[in-house]
Amino acid sequence: MEKHHIDVMIDEAAVDNRIKELGKQISRDYAGREVYLIGILKGSVYFTCELAKRITVPVIMDFMQCSSYGAATKSSGVVKLSKDLDMAITDRDVIIIEDIIDSGRTLSHLKDLLSQRNPASLKICTLLDKPSRRVVDVDVDYTGFQIEDKFVIGYGLDYDQLYRNLPYIGVVEFD
Ligand code: IMP
Ligand code: MG
């Protein structure tokens, strides 16, 4: 691993506060309904769980995992499902929970795939967004923070599988 250090970008209190706000907003928007949260493994595990704790309408949590088919086909935006949902989402109010949107390829593909299963509604909630990196357009309904184009870790995000457990968002700086 290249020599590097971590700088704090968004501290723990700020992340927690923002997640509380998103939870309130979602609770208001879905008043009287039940939400079906889909966390995208592994990056959005922490965010999905913390957000779910702050939502006051009934919540169902499910997870799916996808990976892109490899560098050669990355531009096609084709992602492979390595773990599908446990339940059907037909007629459910679904929110996809992502850690970060970069090119937008993953989410745009996932949204297409899930909308074919006829949910009652389908929205996207991301903790972080790097709008300057967007290649494929995606409508994002809830965003925690828009950030500049830096490689970030923590709160589920990894650098070579490390740092997911950090309770804040950090930037990897190479020495
Ligand atoms: P997209 O399909 O390009 O939008 O890819 C989004 C995925 O790339 C995220 O779910 C992350 O797994 C990964 N990713 C993008 N930017 C970062 C970053 O700054 N740190 C860690 N992972 C990232
Ligand atoms: Mg991810």
Side-chain angles (χ1 to χ4, degrees):
M1 206 175 229
E2 226 177 307
K3 192 159 168 20
H4 64 278
H5 66 276
I6 307 294
D7 287 339
V8 177
M9 179 189 259
I10 307 167
D11 69 23
E12 185 172 358
V15 176
D16 288 349
N17 276 332
R18 185 67 188 121
I19 294 177
K20 275 181 202 159
E21 287 173 3
L22 288 172
K24 271 189 199 153
Q25 198 184 338
I26 290 171
S27 304
R28 272 199 306 271
D29 293 352
Y30 289 81
R33 292 189 280 166
E34 187 178 86
V35 281
Y36 191 107
L37 303 184
I38 300 180
I40 309 303
L41 297 169
K42 304 172 188 170
S44 80
V45 166
Y46 292 83
F47 179 41
T48 306
C49 295
E50 287 305 310
L51 181 66
K53 282 159 64 179
R54 305 299 175 186
I55 295 175
T56 53
V57 299
V59 167
I60 293 175
M61 287 169 76
D62 205 345
F63 292 91
M64 64 197 295
Q65 185 158 28
C66 52
S67 49
S68 39
Y69 268 118
T73 55
K74 212 183 166 192
S75 57
S76 67
V78 177
V79 295
K80 182 182 74 167
L81 281 192
S82 38
K83 185 213 174 291
D84 203 343
L85 298 172
D86 289 332
M87 295 163 269
I89 55 168
T90 317
D91 298 331
R92 296 206 177 262
D93 290 307
V94 174
I95 310 179
I96 305 173
I97 314 292
E98 233 326 9
D99 49 0
I100 188 164
I101 309 182
D102 190 51
S103 70
R105 287 189 181 106
T106 310
L107 268 181
S108 115
H109 181 78
L110 271 181
K111 206 174 175 184
D112 286 352
L113 188 128
L114 292 173
S115 61
Q116 287 163 20
R117 300 182 186 181
N118 300 313
S121 64
L122 182 57
K123 288 193 178 184
I124 290 177
C125 174
T126 188
L127 179 59
L128 303 172
D129 186 8
K130 290 186 202 172
S132 65
R133 297 265 306 165
R134 199 72 87 258
V135 174
V136 180
D137 219 23
V138 262
D139 283 334
V140 186
D141 303 283
Y142 304 99
T143 302
F145 302 90
Q146 289 202 341
I147 59 166
E148 53 179 318
D149 181 16
K150 300 240 174 176
F151 192 79
V152 289
I153 45 82
Y155 228 91
L157 291 147
D158 74 299
Y159 170 43
D160 273 358
Q161 297 306 322
L162 283 172
Y163 301 127
R164 291 192 197 275
N165 60 311
L166 296 183
Y168 56 87
I169 304 294
V171 189
V172 178
E173 299 284 2
F174 295 96
D175 302 320

